[in-house]
Amino acid sequence: MIAKISLGLLGLILVAGVIAVAIGYSISGPKYTGPVSDHFDGQQFFNPNQVEPRGFKDVLSWMLNRDRTEWAPYRDVPPGPPPPNWVPGQDLRVTFVNHSSVLLQFDSLNVLTDPVWSYRPSPFTWIGPKRNRPPGIRLEDLPPIDIILLSHSHWDHLDLPTLRQLVKRDKPRIFCPLGVKALLDREGFGNISEMDWNQSQPFNERTRIHCVPAQHFSGRGMFDRNATLWCGFVVDNQTAGKLHFAGDTGYGQFFKQIGKQYGPMRLALIPIGAYKPTWFMAPVHCSPAEAVEIHKDVCSQQSIGIHYGTFPLADEGETEPVTDLRKALQQQGIPPEKFQALEEGKGVVF
């Protein structure tokens, strides 16, 4: 009898393992194939100076010893007013939607970064981190989108349901890092420009998009870890100036090179959340203090904090990123208006 029970349990474990592997395979994205470079070994991409995210053992250690600051319950905050259809001339209008989704409006162009409107950035509607408040702007209230910048393949940055609606409605041009195009092609999207670090492509005669390094990792399932690239972008517009979207990133000295090569920036969108515990998160997520260093490194006139306050992804509390940002700015003697954390749905003109 005991032997039969043991065999039955073993069978259940094997079946569960097979199901888990099948699901992990089904949600994994396509893998990039291309020449070896200083950040691609022919199979996987890697960070500047080969900084690596923490491994499986560290993940278990973090999960078993978490010291989380709880977030407030879901807040059903009403959305902000619809942005204008276009902002002409040299004015730069910035609307923080949520997480890393920001609407940039300038020179009669509308640029959207890492658009995420889903309730859960997850392959399943019943599991995964859920948002703590609705997006600051309703998707249907967005103006016509000309450009979408995708920083990498993670679910909280590449949200296929949101992209399907935007592509169907506006047919924007999508800029993405190496390997991500195959996933978008599989979904039937078009007008995609895939780029490597330090490559540039024109959008029109006044606007050029530069793909720049970031320090992170990629993957959507069990079998595509670092199989596609991650990046930031610099939007170089003759009228509005240079706008830096740092993407999802840890801090590295490469930001100084971005500042030298592409700066100074009129505006930088810099992540300030998902940084605790530092020992675990530092390779892939910068702290507010490090975000201030990025602000200085890329020679930004004005910076906006992103990647905070929407999804509880790490151990810091809901308001800690903003509090720690203010402390870091004060310690550096930088006026708080130079690096702001905007309210979701609020549009600010610089």
Side-chain angles (χ1 to χ4, degrees):
M1 178 66 70
I2 295 176
K4 288 183 178 180
I5 293 174
S6 298
L7 285 173
L9 288 174
L10 179 60
L12 288 174
I13 292 171
L14 288 173
V15 170
V18 170
I19 292 173
V21 169
I23 292 173
Y25 179 80
S26 68
I27 64 176
S28 297
K31 297 181 179 181
Y32 173 75
T33 57
V36 172
S37 72
D38 63 355
H39 51 278
F40 181 64
D41 63 10
Q43 298 293 325
Q44 292 185 321
F45 290 93
F46 50 90
N47 282 310
N49 299 319
Q50 298 193 355
V51 175
E52 294 186 6
R54 296 294 184 176
F56 182 69
K57 181 180 178 181
D58 291 321
V59 173
L60 286 179
S61 178
W62 172 47
M63 297 303 293
L64 292 172
N65 299 281
R66 295 191 69 171
D67 184 20
R68 296 182 62 179
T69 301
E70 292 298 324
W71 287 34
Y74 181 84
R75 295 174 291 125
D76 193 10
V77 183
N85 276 347
W86 292 281
V87 174
Q90 294 184 343
D91 284 347
L92 170 62
R93 193 177 195 274
V94 181
T95 305
F96 177 53
V97 178
N98 60 197
H99 200 48
S100 295
S101 306
V102 179
L103 174 66
L104 302 173
Q105 297 182 278
F106 55 91
D107 195 22
S108 298
L109 285 177
N110 296 323
V111 178
L112 191 59
T113 65
D114 285 354
V116 175
W117 263 256
S118 291
Y119 181 67
R120 291 185 189 269
S122 165
F124 311 106
T125 58
W126 49 273
I127 194 171
K130 56 186 178 181
R131 63 170 59 250
N132 199 51
R133 57 159 294 159
I137 299 292
R138 297 188 305 172
L139 188 65
E140 56 267 32
D141 288 340
L142 285 176
I145 301 301
D146 301 294
I147 296 173
I148 291 177
L149 303 178
L150 297 178
S151 64
H152 64 300
S153 67
H154 282 156
W155 292 85
D156 61 322
H157 294 261
L158 198 164
D159 181 32
L160 289 174
T162 298
L163 288 175
R164 290 189 191 104
Q165 295 183 65
L166 292 171
V167 168
K168 181 179 179 180
R169 191 191 73 168
D170 299 332
K171 297 178 174 57
R173 185 167 171 189
I174 301 174
F175 292 87
C176 65
L178 293 180
V180 175
K181 183 177 184 296
L183 173 63
L184 304 178
D185 286 341
R186 192 172 70 182
E187 293 294 319
F189 301 157
N191 201 16
I192 302 163
S193 297
E194 185 176 73
M195 305 169 70
D196 197 359
W197 290 346
N198 297 313
Q199 285 186 341
S200 301
Q201 293 194 24
F203 174 75
N204 59 26
E205 66 278 4
R206 298 188 307 279
T207 309
R208 195 167 189 87
I209 309 297
H210 307 283
C211 178
V212 297
Q215 183 176 294
H216 202 57
F217 67 112
S218 66
R220 294 175 73 81
M222 292 174 61
F223 299 98
D224 61 345
R225 173 95 168 183
N226 295 342
T228 60
L229 186 59
W230 47 93
C231 73
F233 292 96
V234 174
V235 180
D236 190 349
N237 178 266
Q238 292 179 9
T239 301
K242 298 176 180 179
L243 318 176
H244 180 218
F245 168 46
D248 201 355
T249 184
Y251 179 72
Q253 291 299 309
F254 59 90
F255 281 109
K256 295 183 186 296
Q257 181 58 37
I258 291 174
K260 291 178 182 178
Q261 187 170 350
Y262 300 102
M265 310 296 176
R266 181 179 181 185
L267 174 78
L269 306 177
I270 306 174
I272 62 172
Y275 57 97
K276 288 186 175 181
T278 302
W279 69 266
F280 183 79
M281 292 294 181
V284 295
H285 291 145
C286 61
S287 67
E290 290 170 324
V292 173
E293 293 301 318
I294 295 173
H295 166 83
K296 293 161 55 182
D297 288 350
V298 301
C299 308
S300 182
Q301 298 175 21
Q302 175 70 53
S303 292
I304 301 296
I306 60 173
H307 200 267
Y308 74 99
T310 304
F311 303 108
L313 301 175
D315 286 354
E316 75 270 4
E318 184 177 2
T319 60
E320 274 188 86
V322 176
T323 301
D324 286 351
L325 175 63
R326 290 171 180 161
K327 291 178 181 176
L329 290 170
Q330 185 176 29
Q331 290 171 357
Q332 295 276 1
I334 298 173
E337 62 270 16
K338 291 294 184 179
F339 196 149
Q340 300 182 43
L342 298 180
E343 180 183 348
E344 287 99 329
K346 181 180 180 181
V348 177
V349 178
F350 297 105

